[in-house]
Amino acid sequence: MMPEDGVENRHGPPGINSRSLSAAHSAADLEVLREIENVYFSSPTEFDAGRYVLEHAPSPPTCDSIEHMFSKLKRQQQVVSGKALHLISQQRDNCDREFAEIQNIRKQLSHTLDTCRKARDQLRTASNHLTISTFVILANFRKRQIIRSVLKSLELLRSLRSVEKDVADLLEKKEYYEAIELILKSRKAAASHNEYTCIADLTARLQDTLDMTEEKLDSVLSTLCYNFDENIFRKLKKAYTLLGKTQAAMEQLHMHYSSAVNEYAIEAVKPYVGDVTMEMKFQDLCQAVQPNKAPICLLNLCENLFVIMRSYYLLVNWHSKHDEEESTPSSSNVFEIEKNVSREYIRQKLKAGLIRIWHDVQAKVSTFLKSSGIEEYPFEKFIQMLGILRKLTQVAEVFCGDKSDILQDFIKTNSVLYIKNYHRGRMDELKLFLENEGWEQCPVKSTFNLLMLQEFKLFKKYLTTFRSDMSITKTQSDGASSVHSQDDSVYIAKYFNQKTNHTPFEMFRNENVTNDDIFGLEPEIEPSDDSEDEAEVQRDIIEDNDKDEYSASEKIIESPSKVKNSVIVTNTTLSVLRNCGQYLQICRYLPQISLEVVMLMNQLFDYYFYTVHLFFTSDLDVASSTLYSTKLNAVLKRISNSIDANGVASDDDGKTYLCPELPQHLNLSSEETLHGLSERIVAVESVIFLAKQYELLQPYLESIVAQHQRMILEHFRDNTLAVASDLRMPVYMCSASKAVDARSSLIAMSQVKWDVKNVAIDHSPYVDMITRKIQVFALRIENISTKVTLNLEVLNSIWSMVAKFVVHLLVEGFSNATKCSNGGRGLMQLDYRQLFVKLEKISGLKPVPYQDYVDRYVKAYYLPRKGLEDFIRERTEYSNKHLLALVASACENKRDRQALQAIIEGRDSTST
């Protein structure tokens, strides 16, 4: 059994069990294949394997060596046979197919051989039965057919020769589809007759004509970037569809649009540059534009770029409409599927092109702005630039829905820098105005407010709304912004209309365009407004001489206390308001920087407020503890904290502003003018008026800043604007304290005997002396009223300060009395009541304020021990000197007097 098994293993079919071989066995076979010498793979005709083996038999030829060589050769034969069989089995299917093809060819050859045999038999039959004349007829017929073919070829040659001219005529008529169709038909006809040498040459010429025609189509296609014509584009699209290059044409069209943006941008800038060379890039051209020409150059640039954007916008709209008309339901037709795929590709390409073209436009404008030196623009030109850029961003939103973040950020950053730089100039200008201000009343109507200024004309509808309804809703807040985006879309969209050649930037070409027009949707044509507004403003600001029919004497006779309303402003006040109007114009375009701009407006008010206090309280010579409210002190301290020891104020950027110096022309020492009372009135009341105008703006300002920023505005309103009227007390006291000669009055009071036993019938002489001083003061106020329109509120404030000074003067005089009896206390009451009665008649104050200050002090003489102690502890408005004099005169018990004096001294130490 063993030998037989061995024989079967040796002589079995090679490779029969190759699939069951182990990995180790396969590796062994591979090793055997590598050991086979290359000569065994030579052709049998060139190589004798038996002879080669015998020649290389082992020497000496022992049985073992021969057996070993035989086993090796047998193993190599088995491996090679197995591999060959394996490869044959892998290629079996290919082999079967090739064999089937061979059988098919054999059948076709057999069929061809039969056909040839039949044809020969039929020709043999024809030659035996037909005559020569019959063959002649056939030959002539054949000649006729050949001649006809030649004539047809000649006719083709004639038509092909005229193709170039015909194509040129069709292109001239803008029949692009017909031209392409003619060329393609001619090429097809020429291709079917390429056996002629001349036809082959014409085929080459037709290809050249086709290339030139495509170049012509491309040239026409490029012109659409500047002025889209749907009729021409429809013909071009039809021609490119015939060529099978619709997508390629769309790619080429987008390249033309990119080139058009660059070319038109350069063309817009070139006229404003002196020497232009071919090597200059767009950025170099922008840097060469002079600053005074930059605004008009920007306008020209935006108009040119809008032309490109409008053309592309019309292209996209045409495609959208065209796709809706030609759209077909989904079909399994391969041709329809390809058309739908191509249509979708073009749609996506056009949609992406909107963003791409806008980014190109945005990049050109940004490059120009970075190179043109915005900081050197005059304010009016800067506002105009903002208006142009605002229109451009509106165009972008309609064009592609983009919010222009890049351009907006650039505008915001540069606008903040510009407005801060502009503000520095306004602060320096304000300093100059304040130092040279004559503090004379500017003649305005009693109904004058900031809405009558030209700078606030367009704000009138917003501010009127806020005044009538102070509860501002979100809708009003949106209404106070620049304009509604929906209205913008409607307004801008009409400029994209194919039927118009106008642009939304045309309004800036008008030299008479105002800042109000810039921020409107479009120039409002309202004859009743524009034609009369300016005259109305002038009538409102400056009173007509016809309305001032009183003479100077009539004004003197008329008591100023009868004037109910008056507006007291200075030229500097109007200048500050106009600056605020200019600042707000920037807020309308850039609401995101509104808070920064409003803070600059507030700084103008702070500067004005602090300067008035600095100028007109410099000669205050009385105690100021009761003249300054807590908020007034806080405001002055806040503003003074920004002023260093050298008198220099700084803003947030570290820029310093010199505080105004007290002007030499300001005379505050003349008694005839009540120590500059008219100037003090004009200064203080102008600050109060300015504060009221700021308060009028507050609802609008709160509507344009972010919600979380409104607290800052509220704080300024409640802690600064509301404090403006508190300036009256310290400023008016400077003149009121000089209305009565305090030294003479105190001397006269000291000469009165306060220790009389009986109550006097007549008041003391010093009362008449003080009354005469007050009468003189009243007469001088009458004189001042000829220069300043004094209303009741101003007069009451002045007389209140006179009353305040008089009551303190009386208490001071009463406290100087070393001895005082009950009769003397009665005389004190008689004196101050008589004085207040006369003061009431002169001033018109009913009742005279602050008289309780005297009344309480005099009545304190009658208080018992406990009541006097409570009075000392509670009445902190009296000085220790006044209280000590009270105790010394009212308390006869030495122990009680010492105890009360100790309380007063202890209060003094506690307060310090």
Side-chain angles (χ1 to χ4, degrees):
M1 293 296 295
M2 293 297 294
E4 291 178 1
D5 292 337
V7 172
E8 288 180 0
N9 290 335
R10 174 181 292 185
H11 300 287
I16 195 64
N17 295 322
S18 60
R19 293 172 181 255
S20 62
L21 293 177
S22 63
H25 197 181
S26 299
D29 290 348
L30 184 60
E31 186 65 27
V32 170
L33 286 174
R34 290 175 178 174
E35 291 177 356
I36 298 176
E37 297 181 28
N38 292 333
V39 294
Y40 286 104
F41 296 102
S42 302
S43 174
T45 58
E46 299 176 358
F47 175 70
D48 188 353
R51 182 177 294 278
Y52 180 80
V53 169
L54 291 176
E55 290 176 353
H56 293 79
S59 180
T62 62
C63 291
D64 292 338
S65 61
I66 291 174
E67 183 67 23
H68 176 72
M69 182 183 67
F70 176 77
S71 299
K72 180 179 179 181
L73 292 175
K74 194 66 175 177
R75 175 62 178 161
Q76 290 176 350
Q77 181 187 11
Q78 291 177 349
V79 171
V80 170
S81 299
K83 290 294 181 181
L85 182 60
H86 180 67
L87 293 175
I88 291 172
S89 64
Q90 287 180 342
Q91 300 296 326
R92 183 172 183 177
D93 294 340
N94 294 335
C95 181
D96 291 342
R97 283 195 299 271
E98 293 297 328
F99 187 75
E101 185 67 22
I102 292 172
Q103 293 297 331
N104 186 31
I105 293 173
R106 178 179 292 177
K107 290 179 181 180
Q108 291 178 359
L109 290 174
S110 299
H111 179 71
T112 302
L113 182 60
D114 292 340
T115 302
C116 292
R117 287 174 180 173
K118 290 179 181 180
R120 288 178 180 178
D121 292 340
Q122 290 176 356
L123 287 173
R124 190 179 299 110
T125 302
S127 63
N128 294 330
H129 294 86
L130 293 177
T131 61
I132 297 300
S133 60
T134 305
F135 283 105
V136 171
I137 293 173
L138 291 175
N140 292 335
F141 181 78
R142 180 171 178 271
K143 288 180 180 179
R144 189 179 69 173
Q145 292 296 106
I146 293 173
I147 291 172
R148 283 182 175 179
S149 176
V150 172
L151 289 174
K152 185 176 180 181
S153 299
L154 291 174
E155 180 65 21
L156 175 64
L157 287 173
R158 188 185 67 80
S159 61
L160 291 179
R161 289 189 60 185
S162 63
V163 167
E164 292 184 20
K165 181 178 181 301
D166 295 340
V167 167
D169 293 340
L170 290 173
L171 291 177
E172 186 69 24
K173 297 176 182 179
K174 299 182 180 180
E175 301 295 340
Y176 308 114
Y177 177 83
E178 289 75 6
I180 297 297
E181 186 179 35
L182 177 60
I183 295 174
L184 294 180
K185 286 182 179 179
S186 300
R187 286 183 61 190
K188 184 177 180 181
S192 61
H193 296 80
N194 55 6
E195 65 274 10
Y196 301 108
T197 304
C198 59
I199 293 290
D201 295 339
L202 280 175
T203 302
R205 293 185 61 180
L206 286 174
Q207 183 60 42
D208 294 339
T209 303
L210 181 62
D211 294 339
M212 293 177 62
T213 304
E214 289 187 19
E215 292 179 2
K216 176 64 177 179
L217 293 181
D218 187 67
S219 175
V220 175
L221 192 66
S222 65
T223 61
L224 296 179
C225 299
Y226 307 96
N227 185 18
F228 180 80
D229 188 326
E230 62 178 26
N231 294 325
I232 294 178
F233 183 75
R234 184 184 292 109
K235 293 178 180 180
L236 288 174
K237 185 175 183 299
K238 189 177 179 181
Y240 277 113
T241 302
L242 184 61
L243 286 171
K245 296 183 177 181
T246 305
Q247 295 184 14
M250 191 56 60
E251 295 282 353
Q252 190 66 23
L253 182 59
H254 279 80
M255 292 177 62
H256 286 315
Y257 270 106
S258 297
S259 299
V261 169
N262 186 61
E263 291 175 5
Y264 244 35
I266 293 175
E267 291 298 322
V269 177
K270 273 185 179 180
Y272 305 96
V273 180
D275 298 330
V276 181
T277 61
M278 296 298 294
E279 294 79 12
M280 293 184 70
K281 298 180 180 179
F282 179 74
Q283 184 174 0
D284 299 331
L285 291 173
C286 294
Q287 291 175 349
V289 176
Q290 298 178 3
N292 60 338
K293 296 181 180 179
I296 189 64
C297 183
L298 174 64
L299 175 58
N300 199 37
L301 175 63
C302 290
E303 284 183 333
N304 280 17
L305 295 178
F306 176 78
V307 170
I308 307 298
M309 296 172 69
R310 176 169 57 194
S311 175
Y312 192 83
Y313 184 85
L314 293 173
L315 169 66
V316 175
N317 281 356
W318 184 91
H319 259 283
S320 299
K321 181 180 178 181
H322 184 73
D323 287 345
E324 292 177 0
E325 293 175 352
E326 292 191 356
S327 59
T328 57
S330 59
S331 173
S332 59
N333 189 322
V334 175
F335 181 70
E336 291 297 333
I337 293 175
E338 290 180 355
K339 284 182 63 178
N340 290 334
V341 170
S342 177
R343 189 179 295 113
E344 181 62 26
Y345 171 81
I346 293 175
R347 186 184 297 114
Q348 295 298 327
K349 187 71 177 177
L350 290 171
K351 183 178 179 181
L354 288 169
I355 301 295
R356 178 181 173 184
I357 289 177
W358 166 240
H359 283 174
D360 290 345
V361 170
Q362 194 171 207
K364 294 297 181 185
V365 175
S366 298
T367 300
F368 177 82
L369 293 174
K370 291 176 183 177
S371 307
S372 62
I374 297 178
E375 63 280 356
E376 300 181 14
Y377 284 18
F379 185 82
E380 293 75 13
K381 294 299 183 181
F382 178 75
I383 291 295
Q384 186 179 11
M385 181 208 70
L386 290 184
I388 294 172
L389 297 180
R390 176 179 179 273
K391 283 288 186 289
L392 186 61
T393 55
Q394 291 174 357
V395 167
E397 192 165 353
V398 175
F399 181 70
C400 62
D402 188 73
K403 298 299 182 181
S404 312
D405 293 334
I406 299 175
L407 190 59
Q408 291 279 17
D409 290 342
F410 176 82
I411 296 172
K412 176 183 176 182
T413 302
N414 285 272
S415 295
V416 170
L417 295 176
Y418 180 89
I419 190 62
K420 287 186 176 180
N421 183 62
Y422 181 76
H423 176 69
R424 295 185 189 106
R426 303 292 70 73
M427 290 293 286
D428 293 339
E429 183 182 85
L430 180 57
K431 172 182 178 294
L432 183 63
F433 282 3
L434 290 171
E435 289 179 341
N436 294 276
E437 177 62 61
W439 302 107
E440 296 180 356
Q441 180 182 4
C442 183
V444 296
K445 277 187 174 183
S446 59
T447 58
F448 172 76
N449 59 29
L450 56 79
L451 296 179
M452 298 177 183
L453 293 174
Q454 183 71 20
E455 287 77 6
F456 290 91
K457 186 181 69 173
L458 201 65
F459 292 96
K460 185 179 297 185
K461 55 183 177 181
Y462 302 132
L463 296 178
T464 304
T465 302
F466 290 129
R467 290 174 67 188
S468 61
D469 183 7
M470 297 302 289
S471 57
I472 304 173
T473 61
K474 179 65 169 63
T475 304
Q476 288 173 317
S477 176
D478 294 341
S481 61
S482 57
V483 282
H484 299 290
S485 59
Q486 183 178 1
D487 294 336
D488 283 342
S489 301
V490 175
Y491 168 65
I492 298 297
K494 71 180 184 180
Y495 285 102
F496 282 103
N497 194 319
Q498 187 175 355
K499 298 179 181 179
T500 179
N501 292 324
H502 299 285
T503 72
F505 305 97
E506 284 183 349
M507 59 182 297
F508 301 100
R509 293 285 182 186
N510 184 4
E511 295 181 357
N512 297 323
V513 65
T514 64
N515 295 337
D516 305 322
D517 298 328
I518 291 175
F519 288 96
L521 279 175
E522 55 184 321
E524 297 179 357
I525 305 175
E526 297 180 2
S528 61
D529 290 346
D530 291 343
S531 59
E532 298 179 3
D533 271 350
E534 190 169 348
E536 181 182 353
V537 168
Q538 294 299 327
R539 290 196 301 270
D540 288 340
I541 294 179
I542 307 298
E543 292 181 338
D544 294 334
N545 292 330
D546 295 338
K547 297 181 181 180
D548 296 334
E549 296 178 352
Y550 336 108
S551 63
S553 60
E554 289 175 329
K555 290 185 179 180
I556 295 175
I557 294 172
E558 181 185 2
S559 174
S561 62
K562 293 181 181 179
V563 180
K564 294 182 179 180
N565 298 309
S566 66
V567 173
I568 300 177
V569 294
T570 65
N571 288 325
T572 305
T573 311
L574 299 178
S575 176
V576 172
L577 288 175
R578 289 191 174 101
N579 288 334
C580 292
Q582 292 176 335
Y583 287 12
L584 288 181
Q585 290 173 12
I586 297 179
C587 292
R588 294 180 61 204
Y589 174 70
L590 295 172
Q592 60 269 37
I593 67 169
S594 293
L595 183 63
E596 290 89 337
V597 177
V598 171
M599 295 303 290
L600 297 180
M601 289 171 50
N602 293 346
Q603 193 175 63
L604 290 173
F605 179 84
D606 286 344
Y607 195 79
Y608 192 98
F609 181 93
Y610 187 82
T611 301
V612 169
H613 175 268
L614 180 67
F615 285 0
F616 295 102
T617 60
S618 58
D619 58 341
L620 182 62
D621 52 6
V622 298
S624 60
S625 58
T626 60
L627 298 176
Y628 287 85
S629 63
T630 304
K631 286 188 175 181
L632 179 57
N633 277 323
V635 171
L636 294 173
K637 184 178 181 180
R638 174 180 63 81
I639 301 175
S640 63
N641 284 339
S642 61
I643 303 175
D644 61 20
N646 297 323
V648 179
S650 62
D651 61 7
D652 296 337
D653 297 335
K655 169 64 180 179
T656 58
Y657 300 111
L658 292 172
C659 285
E661 298 179 359
L662 187 64
Q664 299 295 325
H665 67 271
L666 191 60
N667 184 9
L668 302 178
S669 60
S670 174
E671 293 185 6
E672 294 295 327
T673 61
L674 296 180
H675 302 273
L677 181 58
S678 64
E679 288 83 358
R680 297 179 199 271
I681 293 172
V682 171
V684 172
E685 297 306 318
S686 66
V687 171
I688 296 173
F689 174 80
L690 187 59
K692 290 179 180 178
Q693 303 312 299
Y694 268 71
E695 289 178 356
L696 182 65
L697 290 174
Q698 286 304 298
Y700 176 72
L701 298 180
E702 291 176 2
S703 72
I704 62 176
V705 301
Q707 183 72 31
H708 65 279
Q709 297 173 339
R710 294 182 180 178
M711 187 180 298
I712 300 175
L713 302 184
E714 293 173 0
H715 184 272
F716 183 79
R717 179 192 63 200
D718 298 336
N719 296 279
T720 301
L721 299 180
V723 180
S725 59
D726 293 349
L727 262 183
R728 286 171 172 162
M729 293 184 69
V731 174
Y732 291 163
M733 181 58 79
C734 292
S735 291
S737 63
K738 300 175 179 64
V740 179
D741 188 349
R743 183 172 178 276
S744 300
S745 300
L746 291 175
I747 293 174
M749 292 179 70
S750 66
Q751 296 174 355
V752 178
K753 294 181 179 181
W754 303 110
D755 56 350
V756 296
K757 295 181 180 181
N758 299 321
V759 177
I761 299 175
D762 297 327
H763 57 265
S764 303
Y766 73 87
V767 174
D768 295 329
M769 184 181 69
I770 294 176
T771 301
R772 285 193 296 272
K773 292 291 186 182
I774 294 174
Q775 289 174 338
V776 173
F777 186 84
L779 289 174
R780 288 173 177 169
I781 286 181
E782 292 286 347
N783 293 332
I784 291 175
S785 67
T786 62
K787 297 187 296 183
V788 181
T789 307
L790 304 179
N791 58 35
L792 192 60
E793 188 177 5
V794 174
L795 288 171
N796 288 344
S797 299
I798 296 172
W799 284 114
S800 294
M801 290 302 98
V802 173
K804 187 177 182 64
F805 178 75
V806 169
V807 297
H808 280 81
L809 180 63
L810 291 176
V811 171
E812 179 67 22
F814 293 159
S815 67
N816 290 334
T818 56
K819 294 180 181 182
C820 185
S821 63
N822 290 334
R825 298 184 188 105
L827 180 59
M828 290 180 181
Q829 291 181 340
L830 177 62
D831 289 345
Y832 78 73
R833 285 177 180 171
Q834 286 293 321
L835 183 58
F836 287 151
V837 168
K838 295 180 180 181
L839 179 59
E840 184 176 293
K841 290 181 180 180
I842 297 172
S843 66
L845 294 176
K846 295 181 180 180
V848 175
Y850 308 112
Q851 55 182 307
D852 289 344
Y853 184 78
V854 183
D855 189 58
R856 281 195 303 267
Y857 186 80
V858 174
K859 289 180 179 179
Y861 285 103
Y862 301 98
L863 293 175
R865 164 71 175 76
K866 178 60 177 172
L868 189 58
E869 182 178 347
D870 293 340
F871 182 87
I872 292 171
R873 293 184 184 276
E874 297 172 1
R875 297 300 173 181
T876 57
E877 65 268 25
Y878 298 100
S879 67
N880 288 349
K881 173 183 177 296
H882 297 161
L883 295 176
L884 289 172
L886 176 63
V887 169
S889 179
C891 190
E892 297 180 356
N893 188 300
K894 183 178 181 180
R895 181 178 296 178
D896 292 342
R897 186 166 59 247
Q898 290 177 349
L900 293 175
Q901 289 174 350
I903 293 174
I904 295 172
E905 292 173 356
R907 188 188 72 161
D908 185 50
S909 61
T910 302
S911 62
T912 55

